[in-house]
Amino acid sequence: MSSTRILSVIGTRPEAIKMAPVIRALEARGGTEHRVALTGQHTDMVDQVLHAFRIEPDYDLDLMTPGQTLYDIGHACLDGLRDVAAEFRPDVTIVQGDTATVFFAAVVTFFQEGRLAHVEAGLRSHEKWAPFPEEMLRRMTDAVSDFCFAPTAAAAANLVAEGIASERVWVTGNTVVDALEEMRSNPLSLRNARVAELPAPGRRLVLLTAHRRESFGRPLERVFEAVASLVERVDDVDVLYPVHPNPRVREPVRRILGDHPRVHLADPLDYGDLVAALGKASLVLTDSGGIQEEAPAFGVHTLVLREVTERPEAVQAGAATLVGTDAGRILSEATRHLGGRQTGPAPANPYGDGRAGERIADIILAELKGIPRETTDWGGP
């Protein structure tokens, strides 16, 4: 009898981080022929994560081109992944999240009449254009998935409310928690000098990340103006901002924040350095989906620089505050959190217990091979 063939598809750094625990769990279980396809939607940022988790791709489409558009990514993914699927003929293809790679891998799997497993299914902002294009890419991927691995009960409820059969939905927790636990247990050497040096003695660290395309222009300028006011008002903070390479981010941040001695602009951080920065931070300001999930694992409060979020669990748990891009609101909330004193334990992490990858591998193998499961669904914090 031939072995079960499983294909994992990765395109961007967040996908690599969150797929790593699934890949490791599948390889630990054995009994499958498992291959990894890297589309190359991101390049160096993905490579360092794969190296950190000791994952070697079997296919590398190397599709990234300067100035690439969603059309370019879609065309290259459809052609390249069609060839991979035709050659390998996977019994199931696994994707993670909401990127163009994820959606076009789902299309290829559907066209090949294959089975699709979607890690981190069910997240919803319920706003078509925010985040763009991720909200709709995730929804459309869920619609054709045979395995919907919801990170939380709320995400599972979204899927069922949309008519997806409950037998196709499992609550697993989020694999980002698994990845963080492994990285904290086996920390990498710091590569960025700013992360190693900050905060200065007697100061606290505020970590800022902002790059969403829906915030380009005046909304992003308001964020940077709020940060400029914050460092003037609170004199014992250093702000670390790994700046996204997009010129529409770099120009306004250098104009508004580039000259302040306690605002430290850095190149994008390797994953190990980002984990270290989160571990040092007293407050996080971010529009990143992944960091909204990662910060609660460190017990650090997050101000979410979006009008809506598809990850409401941290807000509901008291671990995050949705502030949008209004400068006054950002400044007020940041000042309040930096001036407050923590009373009692930090809110429980609403995103998982570090066993999501194990559950996902277990469910896939149980369904494909008809064997009993070894794990149970995650019950929440």
Side-chain angles (χ1 to χ4, degrees), residues 15-39:
E15 291 167 69
I17 292 167
K18 294 180 178 182
M19 282 290 284
V22 179
I23 293 169
R24 301 284 284 275
L26 285 168
E27 292 174 349
R29 286 287 298 268
T32 67
E33 185 179 355
H34 177 253
R35 297 185 187 177
V36 176
L38 180 65
T39 66

Side-chain angles (χ1 to χ4, degrees), residues 18 120 123 174 176 289-297 311 349 351:
K18 294 180 178 182
E120 202 180 76
L123 276 63
N174 198 307
V176 75
I291 291 178
Q292 289 178 61
E293 298 160 342
E294 291 163 335
R311 295 168 170 89
N349 189 342
Y351 293 119

Side-chain angles (χ1 to χ4, degrees), residues 2-25:
S2 62
S3 64
T4 300
R5 295 183 298 274
I6 298 176
L7 178 68
S8 294
V9 180
I10 295 171
T12 66
R13 183 168 95 162
E15 291 167 69
I17 292 167
K18 294 180 178 182
M19 282 290 284
V22 179
I23 293 169
R24 301 284 284 275

